[in-house]
Amino acid sequence: MHHDLIPVLTEDIDVLRDLVNKVQSTRDFRHKQELTNDLYLSLNGHMAIVEKTVLPMLRTFTGASLPDTFSVHYEEIRSLLSDLMARRVELVGLDAALEVLCATLNLQNERERLFLLPAVERALDTDERAYLALASCHQLSREMRKGMVNLPAALMPSMT
């Protein structure tokens, strides 16, 4: 399951970047509102995945520094989203809120691409190495038990 994270996060970043470009280039007010709704839902879904899955995993493997930094950025984005939704009923307010949110979101997408995704890859690599080490130890233990069946009774450890 965790190995699906990187493709999902990468696709989310691409979708968000595309929505930002569309919402910024659209002049039709109704269409801009629709795209704003899509952006709102997509961004909230993306942040939920990161906050409920990625950041707890990174806290385990890397400590709290990077996940806490991302949590702070997401709180800022939530505040901007709230402002955006409050101002989406009139064009000037919507454009002003979108300008700030889109600039912040473009920066956040770059942070995720440069810092979050590589950290997830390293954490998954660490997790995979730990899993393989455990599987190897389990296999070795099984092989050792099989080998002990063939040992003469005099060489077997005493159970008393």
Side-chain angles (χ1 to χ4, degrees):
M1 175 191 143
H2 285 307
H3 292 285
D4 296 335
L5 275 175
I6 292 175
V8 166
L9 294 173
T10 302
E11 183 178 337
D12 278 359
I13 291 168
D14 292 341
V15 166
L16 291 170
R17 184 179 300 122
D18 185 51
L19 282 169
V20 163
N21 290 336
K22 284 179 181 176
V23 79
Q24 287 180 315
S25 65
T26 299
R27 296 292 159 230
D28 179 67
F29 180 60
R30 294 279 180 229
H31 188 58
K32 188 174 285 237
Q33 285 179 315
E34 291 169 5
L35 289 170
T36 298
N37 290 340
D38 293 345
L39 180 62
Y40 177 85
L41 293 172
S42 296
L43 184 53
N44 273 309
H46 174 71
M47 289 189 309
I49 290 170
V50 172
E51 289 176 320
K52 290 180 183 357
T53 304
V54 174
L55 297 184
M57 178 185 66
L58 290 179
R59 281 186 181 92
T60 299
F61 288 102
T62 66
S65 180
L66 182 67
D68 288 352
T69 300
F70 274 89
S71 291
V72 168
H73 292 301
Y74 284 157
E75 286 306 313
E76 176 188 359
I77 290 171
R78 269 196 190 79
S79 174
L80 294 173
L81 277 174
S82 178
D83 184 51
L84 174 71
M85 297 314 281
R87 300 175 81 192
R88 70 184 186 94
V89 295
E90 52 95 15
L91 183 60
V92 174
L94 179 60
D95 281 341
L98 277 169
E99 185 177 329
V100 175
L101 175 66
C102 289
T104 302
L105 191 52
N106 283 332
L107 179 59
Q108 183 63 22
N109 283 341
E110 280 302 297
R111 283 186 194 116
E112 290 184 14
R113 189 181 65 76
L114 293 172
F115 301 108
L116 189 70
L117 292 177
V120 170
E121 274 190 66
R122 284 190 303 275
L124 292 176
D125 287 347
T126 300
D127 190 40
E128 182 68 19
R129 283 194 302 272
Y131 172 78
L132 291 173
L134 285 173
S136 176
C137 286
H138 178 69
Q139 178 66 26
L140 181 59
S141 295
R142 223 177 25 224
E143 292 299 320
M144 288 176 60
R145 281 192 296 264
K146 282 183 191 175
M148 290 185 77
V149 170
N150 299 328
L151 289 177
L155 296 176
M156 293 288 283
S158 173
M159 300 300 266
T160 56

